[in-house]
Amino acid sequence: HPSQGVSLANNVTLRCHLPRLAAWVWLYQERGWSYNKGKEKEQNAAEFFFVSTLREHAGRYRCQYRVSWSVGASEKSDPVELVLTDHSYSPPSISIHPEQCVEMGTNITIRCWNKDYGAAFLLHKDGSSAPIKHQDPTGGGAANFTFLAVTPADSGTYRCSYRPRGYPFVSSPLGDSVMLEVTPTDAPSGGSEPPICMPPVMDGWLCLCIQSAWGLWLAIGTPKHLDPTGAVEQSWANLVMALVRGFVAALVFGLGVFFVIDARSLWIRRDDNCGAPPVTVSV
C-alpha cells in the first residue's frame, strides 16, 4: 500500500495474506533481500514496512509462511511488483497518427519518445491500473504502439512511461496525454446509391447492379449453384446469361413502345384526313 504511483522516498507497506494462522512469515525479494517476521501469537496476515524507499527496494516480492518449526514451510506466493517512480527522469513525449478523431476500423499509431536511455516503453490508458502495452528496448529512444481496426472501446486518454535499462522496476513519471476518439461508421444512406447485393442479403444469388436510363438502379439476379469444381465459371456464365436476357427484354420492350407510339400517330393523321374538304382541280 499504496498499490501504484509510488515514488522514491515514499513509505510503502507490503502485506502478506495467509490462508491459515502461522507463526512465521517471510518476504522474499527476487535476486535481493529477504525479510522475516515472527510473533508469539499466530497470525493470518503480516505487514512489512519500507520507510523512505530506495531504488534497491524496487522489485518483485513473494511471501512464504510456516505454521511451526515442526512443520515444513509453505510454497512461495504469487509475485507482486513494487515499481518506484524516479522523478529525476524527464517525462516522455507522445503523439498520435493519423489524428485523434478517427472512424471505426481505422489503424492508428501512438508514438512515445525521449532521450535514448535504452529504455523499455509502456503505454497507459486512463482507467486501467496496469500498462496496456509494453515494448522492449529497440534503440533510438522511441516506441510505436499500433492499434489495428480501432473500435469505440479504444477511445480514451493515453500516456507513456519508460523504464531505463538495468532498472526494470524503476519508472519515469507519466508524460503528457493524447485523447483518441473513435466514431462509429455511418450506415449507407438511401437515394441514388445502388443496392448492395451480397450473400447475407440475397442468399444463394449472384447479383449485377446496373443503372437504367431513367436513373433507377436495377438488380439482375441469377441463382448461384456452387460445387467443388467449376463453381466460379458456372456462376459467371449464369451472370452473363442473365445480363443478355435482361438486355433482350429491355430491347423488345423499347421496340414495342416505339411501334405503339408510331401506330397511334398514323391513326391520328388518318382521322384528320377524313374530316378535311375534298380536293378540287380547276383549269
Side-chain angles (χ1 to χ4, degrees):
H1 180 80
S3 59
Q4 57 182 336
V6 182
S7 300
L8 286 173
N10 285 169
N11 298 335
V12 179
T13 301
L14 296 182
R15 183 178 294 109
C16 297
H17 297 274
L18 312 178
R20 55 184 298 186
L21 298 177
W24 288 89
V25 182
W26 289 269
L27 180 68
Y28 292 96
Q29 182 189 37
E30 290 187 4
R31 296 188 300 273
W33 303 90
S34 65
Y35 310 87
N36 67 79
K37 178 170 289 192
K39 288 189 175 181
E40 296 178 359
K41 183 179 179 181
E42 291 183 340
Q43 55 196 336
N44 60 6
E47 293 183 339
F48 296 85
F49 303 97
F50 296 89
V51 179
S52 189
T53 53
L54 305 173
R55 282 194 175 203
E56 299 84 71
H57 292 133
R60 186 178 288 117
Y61 290 85
R62 298 174 187 266
C63 294
Q64 188 180 41
Y65 69 93
R66 191 168 189 165
V67 175
S68 67
W69 288 112
S70 61
V71 180
S74 69
E75 294 183 358
K76 292 181 180 179
S77 67
D78 293 334
V80 63
E81 293 183 352
L82 175 59
V83 178
L84 300 178
T85 301
D86 187 346
H87 291 273
S88 66
Y89 292 108
S90 58
S93 301
I94 189 171
S95 65
I96 188 169
H97 181 81
E99 55 187 342
Q100 291 183 299
C101 185
V102 297
E103 288 189 349
M104 187 171 63
T106 305
N107 298 339
I108 67 104
T109 298
I110 296 178
R111 180 176 175 82
C112 307
W113 73 93
N114 204 296
K115 297 178 181 178
D116 189 4
Y117 293 110
F121 281 89
L122 297 95
L123 185 64
H124 307 257
K125 183 180 181 182
D126 285 6
S128 299
S129 58
I132 62 170
K133 286 181 178 287
H134 172 275
Q135 191 171 115
D136 291 327
T138 56
N144 294 321
F145 298 98
T146 300
F147 293 75
L148 301 177
V150 294
T151 67
D154 295 310
S155 298
T157 301
Y158 293 84
R159 308 170 194 269
C160 298
S161 69
Y162 59 89
R163 298 181 184 180
R165 179 178 296 166
Y167 297 96
F169 300 104
V170 175
S171 174
S172 74
L174 291 174
D176 293 335
S177 65
V178 293
M179 180 174 289
L180 173 64
E181 182 180 353
V182 181
T183 57
T185 304
D186 294 334
S189 58
S192 62
E193 292 295 325
I196 299 175
C197 301
M198 299 177 64
V201 179
M202 299 179 65
D203 191 22
W205 287 76
L206 288 175
C207 189
L208 176 67
C209 301
I210 59 175
Q211 187 176 22
S212 69
W214 297 275
L216 301 176
W217 286 98
L218 305 176
I220 301 175
T222 180
K224 178 178 65 175
H225 305 288
L226 296 180
D227 54 71
T229 58
V232 175
E233 290 79 4
Q234 182 63 36
S235 299
W236 278 109
N238 292 339
L239 183 61
V240 172
M241 183 61 68
L243 178 61
V244 172
R245 289 174 180 173
F247 177 79
V248 171
L251 180 61
V252 171
F253 177 79
L255 291 174
V257 171
F258 172 80
F259 284 123
V260 169
I261 295 175
D262 187 67
R264 188 171 183 276
S265 176
L266 291 174
W267 186 267
I268 292 172
R269 287 200 299 270
R270 179 182 175 184
D271 290 343
D272 291 339
N273 290 335
C274 289
V279 178
T280 59
V281 178
S282 63
V283 176

